[in-house]
Amino acid sequence: MTNTTAADLSSDMQMIRAEIYVRRFQRWMGSRRLDDLDHAMHCLLVECYGELAPKPFRAILPRGSATGVLYGYGVADAAALREHSAMFADPIQAGILPAETLDSKVMPGHWQVGKRLGFEIRIRPVVRINRKGSNSPGTKETRADSGILRPGSESDAYLYEALQHPDQGTMDRSREEVYSEWLAKQLDRRGGASLEAQPAKLVSFQRTRAVRKLRGRGSEGPDAVLRGTITVTDSAAFELLLRNGVGRHRSYGYGMLLLRPAS
């Protein structure tokens, strides 16, 4: 995914919402032999909307429900997405994200420094193990010689820290605390906002297998949703943060900051 830069802020940022017809989506996935929901949604958005596809995005598919919700940030409003879909999406794809359910709004162009905002975000909190056997950008050494973590691989940030404490009972931080620190570092690196009152609340966690290309084998990793409060530290940088998302896998349903009033 290509990051937006300060020079790309001439267009208003749109927030997109659409309904997802889950059974139609599942049938389409089966016809395309797609196994991973996130990879399938990425493919669907690109094929329906091309370069106008919202990214980052968040697909919320409640278990057992006939419909879900898609949220996303992008430069195209609902009318532009409907027009593109009408010309290029096939009928099955158009039925998954019906044009009449598409809606959009313009996001603020200026954010007050010091403004407190509540948020929810889906993240894949991983660290990459470099060739010297340490995580990037951290400094701790891994147990790479054990064969558990291979140089160049990605590791669950919590698992990585746990492997630094091989003796039972010496790991003194919770998964929630580790993931909150991971998010705080991501925000500090990108700029625009800082995380308040760590840890953020870990709303859900599961391990999922992520596929990022057709017929790819995929890799297992953490899939977590956090809620908390951030403070805007720079207006322009915060808009870039919203446009680009946070962390890895931002083109596949991770990293979108859904905002809410600070509690």
Side-chain angles (χ1 to χ4, degrees), residues 38-213:
D38 298 322
H39 179 225
M41 184 57 68
H42 165 81
C43 293
L44 178 68
L45 293 176
V46 171
E47 291 180 25
C48 285
Y49 307 126
E51 292 296 321
L52 301 181
K55 50 186 178 183
F57 69 87
R58 171 89 178 273
I60 301 175
L61 304 172
R63 183 172 297 178
S65 177
T67 59
V69 181
L70 172 75
Y71 294 104
Y73 293 133
V75 296
D77 63 10
L81 295 177
R82 290 191 200 103
E83 181 180 2
H84 197 282
S85 177
M87 289 189 288
F88 300 112
D90 74 30
I92 296 177
Q93 292 172 330
I96 298 169
L97 298 168
E100 64 271 17
T101 72
L102 270 168
D103 207 350
S104 62
K105 71 169 186 178
V106 177
M107 294 292 288
H110 176 78
W111 299 88
Q112 180 183 351
V113 173
K115 178 71 173 177
R116 299 176 67 248
L117 299 166
F119 73 88
E120 179 177 297
I121 187 170
R122 182 188 180 205
I123 56 172
R124 198 162 182 87
V126 294
V127 294
R128 184 171 293 279
I129 311 304
N130 67 29
R131 294 183 178 181
K132 295 182 180 180
S134 63
N135 75 323
S136 178
T139 57
K140 298 177 182 177
E141 294 185 354
T142 72
R143 290 166 53 83
D145 57 346
S146 69
I148 298 174
L149 301 179
R150 299 187 307 276
S153 66
E154 286 185 347
S155 171
D156 180 334
Y158 179 75
L159 173 61
Y160 176 82
E161 181 161 327
L163 289 174
Q164 316 310 311
H165 302 80
D167 298 329
Q168 186 175 5
T170 60
M171 175 69 171
D172 58 356
R173 294 209 301 167
S174 67
R175 187 180 297 274
E176 185 174 80
E177 291 172 317
V178 173
Y179 289 172
S180 292
E181 181 183 74
W182 179 93
L183 177 59
K185 289 180 178 179
Q186 292 287 325
L187 294 174
D188 290 344
R189 187 180 310 155
R190 292 183 173 273
S194 60
L195 182 64
E196 283 190 12
Q198 292 189 55
K201 181 176 177 58
L202 181 61
V203 177
S204 68
F205 167 77
Q206 59 182 331
R207 292 190 65 82
T208 56
R209 180 166 291 277
V211 177
R212 295 298 174 254
K213 61 182 179 180

Side-chain angles (χ1 to χ4, degrees), residues 220-256:
E220 188 182 18
D223 183 338
V225 175
L226 293 178
R227 288 180 189 157
T229 305
I230 53 177
T231 300
V232 177
T233 57
D234 180 279
S235 178
F238 184 67
E239 183 174 354
L240 284 173
L241 182 68
L242 292 179
R243 287 180 183 248
N244 291 326
V246 179
R248 291 179 55 77
H249 304 270
R250 298 187 302 277
S251 292
Y252 298 90
Y254 295 86
M256 180 184 182

